[in-house]
Amino acid sequence: MMLRDHAIRYGFIVLLFGLIAYFAVAADGFVSPQSAVFIFQSVAITGVLALGVTATLVVGGFDLSIGSVATSAMMAAAYVMVVLEQNAVVAVVVCLLIGAVVGLINGWLIVYMPDLLATLGMMFLLVGLQRIPTEGRSIATGMTMPDGSVANGKFGEAFLALGRHRFDFFVPNLVPVSVVVLIVLALLIWFFLEYTRFGRMMYAVGSNERAAELAGARVKAYKIWAYVISGVFAAIGGILLAARLGRGDIASGNNLLLDAVAAALIGYAVLGAAKPNAFGTAVGAVFVGVLLQGLTMMNAPYYTQDFVKGGVLVVALVFTFALSGRGGR
């Protein structure tokens, strides 16, 4: 019994360090500042989106639209600066408003229909909507618009710094700004969920919606706010992606949803939490980043990466549910 308890609580942490040790031996250059930068950059955007997913999981929901919200925010940032020739502040505000509005609509919809259906519909809606202004083309300085005009605007240096600037941390130019953003957001959402009345009520809603409603909780409001948080976090992820790429790449967000969901679900297994939690999600994002970087450096075919991620997710859920004797509903 004690061995099983330790496996549930620490098994995934051991798995993470075992993975790092394996790649350190099997992949030349894995233990290097350059490799760490690539891991940090991939972790930042995935982690921010995964924290948003975590908020919806807390209230018993699930947001399938986060990847399309992030991509829409990225395209909106590019359109505002390159086509409309506005500054970085305007672009950031527009992106955050998009995230908040989409989250609000998602929250309103899931009150009346299953969350998977509502957010799946929103996902397809946004995928189509973000392609309309440019007729499906990516946005970059000098591009020709559908009406024949030329987009002469450009990304501001302050905006690009969000995705490209790096801080010195033991090694020069090691920690990207986006990682600092992830850490700050993770601490904020962790404190919010664990130590505020609002956050604890969100957990109560997700644990037993009917009981929470009978206790006087405004269940619908808590659910709506969870999706607003998810939308805003997804928009922040899109801002960071746009700042890193320096263009509105229509295809760059294809894997954001799967990686973010994997990180959020892996978080269930961290320290035996068996529930959505910000700390576990952050560790899950690091795990996904380490895994993808290691596979890339070992020249693993790209088509095997999703298979490996799926296997890791199954192992994580085994630690969480099978070993602890908890079944699905």
Side-chain angles (χ1 to χ4, degrees):
M1 181 65 70
M2 183 176 293
L3 180 60
R4 189 180 70 175
D5 291 342
H6 279 79
I8 294 170
R9 186 165 182 81
Y10 303 110
F12 196 79
I13 298 296
V14 172
L15 183 62
L16 173 59
F17 282 103
L19 189 69
I20 294 173
Y22 171 75
F23 284 137
V25 174
D28 293 336
F30 180 79
V31 183
S32 68
Q34 293 77 15
S35 177
V37 168
F38 284 123
I39 292 173
F40 287 156
Q41 286 182 328
S42 64
V43 161
I45 296 172
T46 298
V48 171
L49 267 66
L51 290 171
V53 175
T54 300
T56 62
L57 290 172
V58 165
V59 296
F62 197 86
D63 190 355
L64 288 175
S65 68
I66 54 162
S68 57
V69 174
T71 308
S72 296
M74 174 192 64
M75 295 297 290
Y79 194 88
V80 168
M81 286 184 286
V82 174
V83 179
L84 301 182
E85 300 186 27
Q86 299 295 314
N87 59 39
V89 174
V90 174
V92 169
V93 170
V94 168
C95 291
L96 294 178
L97 285 175
I98 289 173
V101 170
V102 171
L104 187 63
I105 295 172
N106 278 338
W108 180 79
L109 289 175
I110 63 100
V111 169
Y112 300 101
M113 66 180 71
D115 53 341
L116 293 181
L117 294 179
T119 57
L120 182 65
M122 180 60 72
M123 179 184 76
F124 284 117
L125 178 66
L126 291 175
V127 167
L129 188 61
Q130 68 195 4
R131 298 171 185 267
I132 292 176
T134 61
E135 297 183 344
R137 289 174 291 175
S138 297
I139 300 175
T141 301
M143 70 175 292
T144 302
M145 299 299 294
D147 63 0
S149 63
V150 177
N152 293 317
K154 63 179 183 178
F155 280 74
E157 292 299 322
F159 187 89
L160 291 174
L162 293 173
R164 299 180 180 181
H165 182 72
R166 300 172 187 171
F167 295 109
D168 299 337
F169 187 74
F170 297 120
V171 177
N173 298 322
L174 179 63
V175 181
V177 172
S178 54
V179 174
V180 177
V181 173
L182 170 63
I183 293 172
V184 171
L185 291 177
L187 290 173
L188 287 175
I189 197 69
W190 168 75
F191 181 84
F192 173 73
L193 292 175
E194 300 290 340
Y195 293 102
T196 67
R197 182 181 181 278
F198 199 102
R200 291 193 294 269
M201 289 304 298
M202 287 175 63
Y203 271 116
V205 169
S207 177
N208 192 322
E209 180 178 327
R210 181 60 178 163
E213 192 170 24
L214 291 174
R218 299 172 60 189
V219 171
K220 293 181 180 179
Y222 287 113
K223 285 189 170 185
I224 290 173
W225 275 109
Y227 281 85
V228 171
I229 292 171
S230 179
V232 170
F233 274 48
I236 293 173
I239 291 169
L240 296 177
L241 183 60
R244 193 174 81 184
L245 296 176
R247 66 197 304 261
D249 188 349
I250 200 72
S252 61
N254 290 343
N255 291 325
L256 290 177
L257 172 62
L258 293 179
D259 290 347
V261 168
L265 294 180
I266 286 171
Y268 279 68
V270 176
L271 298 180
K275 68 176 184 178
N277 66 98
F279 176 76
T281 295
V283 174
V286 171
F287 191 96
V288 171
V290 168
L291 182 65
L292 294 181
Q293 178 66 10
L295 291 173
T296 300
M297 295 186 70
M298 290 181 66
N299 295 318
Y302 73 92
Y303 49 80
T304 65
Q305 294 188 3
D306 286 337
F307 173 80
V308 174
K309 278 188 290 185
V312 169
L313 182 57
V314 169
V315 171
L317 296 180
V318 166
F319 276 124
T320 304
F321 297 105
L323 291 180
S324 61
R326 303 183 184 196
R329 290 182 294 177

